[in-house]
Amino acid sequence: MKTYLVTGGAGFIGSNFVKYMLRQHENIRIVVLDALTYAGYLGTIDADIDNDRCTFVRGDICDRELVDSLFAQYRFDVVVNFAAESHVDRSIENPQLFLQTNILGTQNLLDCARRAWVNGKDAQGYPTWQDGVRYHQVSTDEVYGSLGPTGFFTEDTPLQPHSPYSASKTSADLVVMAYRDTYHMPVSITRCSNNYGPYHFPEKLIPLMINNVLEGKKLPVYGQGTNVRDWLYVEDHCKAIDLVVNEAADGSIYNVGGHNERQNIEIVRIIIRTIRRLMEERPEFRALLKRQDKDADGQIDISWINDDLITYVKDRLGHDQRYGIDPSRIKADLGWYPETTFEVGIEKTILWNLEHRDWVQAVSGSDYQTYYERMYAGR
Ligand code: NAD
Ligand code: DAU
């Protein structure tokens, strides 16, 4: 039986990963370590915590004493590090927190794993490692910087991050590879494109737009809305990580993404159209709208759910123009491909948001409202 330390497992992708792994593998045990920052919510995974196959510990990945004690208690075989400050806009406001968590937190995990997993030295003085152990770093395509209108990021694309967030994630990747080169540590890295799906924190583009429609608010599109992101349904990302952790060679780096590039404005228009269609097909969803004005037939009016909701606002500083992943390596080596088409994934995501208003309300309390007002008021 393998024991996993999953950091950041109460956040968006980490929680989806915990659920995916518990579904896919009978014979594993997961310990979730999460600081429960504004982005982490225990309610997301509380149904998964049974203190047998899945245990939760609240704590900081930068806390050496705590992480050492968890290694001693649980004897982890695998670490999958999702824990991070993840929002580019917040990194523009407060870069230091991003460097602290994303770089030093990663380094602390690597060091704790090294102390626990090294079992000797080889003839050249390199550490030798317990069998079957692996440190996996969940990274991002943003480490490669921004593309022009053509071409894709491959694993050999030079690292050229622009935002404080992506600079911190790039630094973390470099530290991981330094542990590989210096200590022969068994590590792997995945660099994924933009995820979407259930439990996505409402500050990010897709959930923000869905929630703003329901709230009857304007839809703030940065700049001209022509920036391009390569969207991947979160479960496909989880599957890729599982494959890389369990099947890829030590020292591997894999890009994860699915040739699903869309301009932001296209995403926003799809969300508007899909919500309106779902409200037509299932009128009971109209009760979720904040605007309860009635139409001529006495039904809750939805005619205002249209492109007039879109408002173009001041652009993000240093806004990367385009991301696009070339997933050839992971496809060739591990047979991974994105199974969920965007048409299916976005409808599932919108339906999930309609059917989980309690979750959305629980994570978007007064702290989030304050953030939203500060971030969007001046735009
Ligand atoms: P998220 O912000 O939803 O979740 C981050 C989680 O980490 C939260 O639960 C938070 O409480 C926890 N956390 C933050 N600081 C911590 C600390 N010091 N100690 C312990 N826990 C801490 O992020 P996400 O979107 O789920 O992203 C997860 C990982 O995947 C990140 O490393 C991110 O860089 C990477 N990534 C995200 C995307 C995406 O589209 N969201 C794409 C590629 C890679
Ligand atoms: O590419 C992977 C990255 O994707 C991850 O590493 C990050 O953790 C994750 O947050 C995400 O970063 P982005 O900056 O691409 O995601 P975000 O949802 O913040 O924005 C997507 C695009 O939409 C981006 O071009 C900015 C734009 N945008 C975003 C918001 C929140 C808007 O136009 N309006 C908005 O209100």
Side-chain angles (χ1 to χ4, degrees):
M1 176 159 93
K2 270 192 186 169
T3 302
Y4 287 71
L5 172 63
V6 175
T7 67
F12 166 44
I13 308 174
S15 63
N16 276 283
F17 181 75
V18 168
K19 292 172 195 296
Y20 176 86
M21 293 298 283
L22 291 172
R23 273 198 312 273
Q24 293 297 314
H25 303 276
E26 291 268 296
N27 206 19
I28 61 167
R29 189 164 61 140
I30 294 179
V31 177
V32 174
L33 172 63
D34 197 300
L36 300 182
T37 67
Y38 79 92
Y41 176 51
L42 194 51
T44 305
I45 52 163
D46 59 4
D48 305 295
I49 299 166
D50 58 4
N51 293 318
D52 175 23
R53 298 184 69 218
C54 185
T55 302
F56 178 78
V57 177
R58 183 173 190 174
D60 189 332
I61 56 167
C62 301
D63 182 340
R64 172 182 162 149
E65 220 174 291
L66 171 68
V67 179
D68 274 342
S69 75
L70 294 177
F71 268 94
Q73 186 178 352
Y74 294 104
R75 306 189 169 280
F76 302 121
D77 302 287
V78 177
V79 177
V80 185
N81 181 26
F82 291 93
E85 290 294 335
S86 70
H87 192 33
V88 174
D89 291 328
R90 290 186 194 248
S91 82
I92 295 168
E93 281 197 316
N94 183 6
Q96 194 169 43
L97 176 63
F98 283 68
L99 272 55
Q100 172 73 30
T101 297
N102 298 359
I103 307 173
L104 295 179
T106 297
Q107 186 269 334
N108 187 52
L109 291 172
L110 287 162
D111 250 4
C112 295
R114 185 163 68 102
R115 277 192 288 278
W117 289 344
V118 167
N119 59 8
K121 259 190 204 166
D122 70 13
Q124 284 99 40
Y126 285 103
T128 56
W129 297 78
Q130 276 176 33
D131 282 345
V133 293
R134 168 67 64 83
Y135 175 92
H136 183 78
Q137 178 73 1
V138 180
S139 184
T140 167
D141 59 357
E142 297 200 13
V143 300
Y144 299 119
S146 182
L147 292 164
T150 58
F152 298 101
F153 297 135
T154 72
E155 289 80 356
D156 301 320
T157 301
L159 305 180
Q160 206 177 356
H162 296 125
S163 70
Y165 162 72
S166 54
S168 71
K169 292 295 290 185
T170 308
S171 308
D173 282 13
L174 293 176
V175 176
V176 172
M177 292 318 283
Y179 274 62
R180 169 81 193 147
D181 295 341
T182 308
Y183 308 116
H184 288 179
M185 186 165 181
V187 300
S188 49
I189 298 177
T190 42
R191 295 182 177 144
C192 189
S193 60
N194 286 61
N195 285 217
Y196 69 102
Y199 305 108
H200 205 176
F201 193 79
E203 68 190 346
K204 306 284 169 59
L205 178 77
I206 288 182
L208 185 143
M209 296 299 166
I210 297 170
N211 291 321
N212 277 20
V213 173
L214 298 181
E215 295 284 307
K217 290 187 183 155
K218 286 287 192 187
L219 308 182
V221 172
Y222 298 168
Q224 305 298 305
T226 54
N227 302 69
V228 173
R229 297 292 181 266
D230 182 359
W231 294 94
L232 183 72
Y233 194 64
V234 62
E235 196 170 301
D236 284 324
H237 184 191
C238 297
K239 183 175 184 192
I241 294 171
D242 184 17
L243 280 171
V244 170
V245 166
N246 286 299
E247 293 182 25
D250 290 338
S252 304
I253 298 178
Y254 283 101
N255 285 353
V256 184
H259 287 308
N260 180 44
E261 288 182 43
R262 316 261 171 171
Q263 289 195 343
N264 294 337
I265 189 66
E266 182 190 351
I267 296 285
V268 175
R269 290 194 177 120
I270 291 173
I271 289 171
I272 295 169
R273 271 205 313 275
T274 309
I275 294 183
R276 180 142 171 184
R277 178 172 55 74
L278 289 168
M279 299 259 163
E280 273 155 11
E281 290 169 6
R282 294 179 57 183
E284 71 272 18
F285 282 141
R286 298 183 192 197
L288 301 174
L289 292 168
K290 197 151 193 179
R291 286 177 63 169
Q292 291 284 308
D293 355 318
K294 298 276 167 37
D295 62 18
D297 301 327
Q299 283 232 57
I300 296 165
D301 183 27
I302 52 168
S303 62
W304 55 271
I305 304 181
N306 61 47
D307 287 359
D308 292 344
L309 287 172
I310 295 169
T311 173
Y312 293 92
V313 301
K314 204 160 113 222
D315 209 352
R316 175 183 278 175
L317 300 181
H319 197 173
D320 285 339
Q321 179 54 38
R322 175 176 164 247
Y323 304 146
I325 287 276
D326 175 356
S328 315
R329 184 185 284 179
I330 190 166
K331 190 168 181 205
D333 290 359
L334 303 174
W336 178 90
Y337 65 96
E339 289 174 37
T340 308
T341 63
F342 189 68
E343 290 64 32
V344 169
I346 194 71
E347 179 157 335
K348 274 168 94 167
T349 302
I350 292 172
L351 275 170
W352 187 90
N353 272 275
L354 292 172
E355 286 163 352
H356 293 82
R357 299 315 294 158
D358 289 357
W359 184 89
V360 176
Q361 259 130 39
V363 301
S364 43
S366 60
D367 283 1
Y368 178 67
Q369 299 309 328
T370 309
Y371 159 84
Y372 188 88
E373 275 148 34
R374 190 177 69 246
M375 187 62 78
Y376 291 89
R379 283 198 126 108

